[in-house]
Amino acid sequence: MALYSEPHRHYHNLRHISDCLMEFDRLAALAREPLAVELAIWFHDAVYDPRAGDNEERSALLAREWLREAGAGPALPESVSQLVLATKAHGGTLHADAPLLVDIDLSILGQLPGRFWEYEEQIRREYDWVSVAVFCQKRAEILEGFLERGRIYLTDVVIGEREALARENLRTSVARLKRRSFWLANKY
């Protein structure tokens, strides 16, 4: 909890974990290893430095260490580590439950617009050290990457529930980012 309460976290904080856990509660029946998925939710952003490129690797290592110290056998720390690593590229190939965890992590993209825009502003605040021009360019590239996928989400349930709204949110955000005026006006 101390890690998720660090002052530089505006989105990747305890609210994000709470939202992910609530999403998991809805989708838990899809999990092959529910305990591993729940632990991966807790650990997936445990290490979060927006200036670093190895947050997921360090979070996975932390999960392994903590779970081993807690007396878990070798299988659980390995599963949790693989799931945490799946959140880096938002791909579903590292573990059988990776598609589920990735969909939970990305569920914010398919939220109603009010919550989605709050999320976008929170992400901007986490990168407030980046100029508006660079942030807008890089963020647009990231969001366009999701739009270029055949499917943003990986599980059929979440595709049915969130795919259309996520695409609408992302298209609107990319358009705003390319205009930059929204971010300039809000001083983010």
Side-chain angles (χ1 to χ4, degrees):
M1 290 184 75
L3 292 171
Y4 284 104
S5 298
E6 294 171 326
H8 65 277
R9 294 174 181 252
H10 300 281
Y11 174 72
H12 294 93
N13 55 28
L14 287 171
R15 180 180 180 189
H16 172 53
I17 298 305
S18 176
D19 290 347
C20 286
L21 290 169
M22 285 191 295
E23 189 75 3
F24 176 61
D25 285 345
R26 281 186 341 95
L27 302 170
L30 301 176
R32 293 191 178 127
E33 292 183 60
L35 178 59
V37 174
E38 187 167 351
L39 288 167
I41 289 169
W42 276 103
F43 279 101
H44 82 281
D45 288 322
V47 176
Y48 182 71
D49 175 358
R51 296 173 191 252
D54 63 346
N55 291 316
E56 291 82 4
E57 291 85 356
R58 292 171 49 211
S59 293
L61 180 61
L62 182 66
R64 277 189 190 157
E65 290 172 357
W66 283 19
L67 291 170
R68 287 182 183 149
E69 286 177 17
L76 183 60
E78 183 60 28
S79 288
V80 172
S81 176
Q82 288 175 353
L83 288 166
V84 169
L85 291 172
T87 65
K88 182 168 187 143
H90 295 105
T93 60
L94 291 175
H95 186 280
D97 284 325
L100 175 61
L101 180 63
V102 167
D103 283 1
I104 289 169
D105 191 31
L106 295 179
S107 65
I108 190 66
L109 302 178
Q111 294 295 320
L112 292 174
R115 177 63 184 117
F116 176 79
W117 290 112
E118 180 183 18
Y119 152 74
E120 283 291 274
E121 291 170 9
Q122 291 167 333
I123 294 296
R124 177 62 185 127
R125 289 178 66 198
E126 289 183 346
Y127 287 86
D128 64 355
W129 49 274
V130 177
S131 73
V132 170
V134 170
F135 176 82
C136 289
Q137 176 192 352
K138 296 298 183 182
R139 184 74 178 157
E141 289 171 9
I142 290 167
L143 299 184
E144 285 174 325
F146 285 114
L147 287 169
E148 290 168 2
R149 294 180 178 192
R151 299 166 21 157
I152 293 169
Y153 296 109
L154 305 173
T155 61
D156 291 337
V157 171
V158 180
I159 289 168
E161 293 174 349
R162 300 194 188 280
E163 184 82 16
L165 185 53
R167 287 190 177 280
E168 182 180 327
N169 285 338
L170 293 174
R171 281 191 296 268
T172 304
S173 186
V174 168
R176 282 187 179 182
L177 289 161
K178 288 185 174 182
R179 286 192 315 267
R180 294 187 198 150
S181 58
F182 174 80
W183 300 105
L184 291 169
N186 287 298
K187 298 180 184 171
Y188 292 114

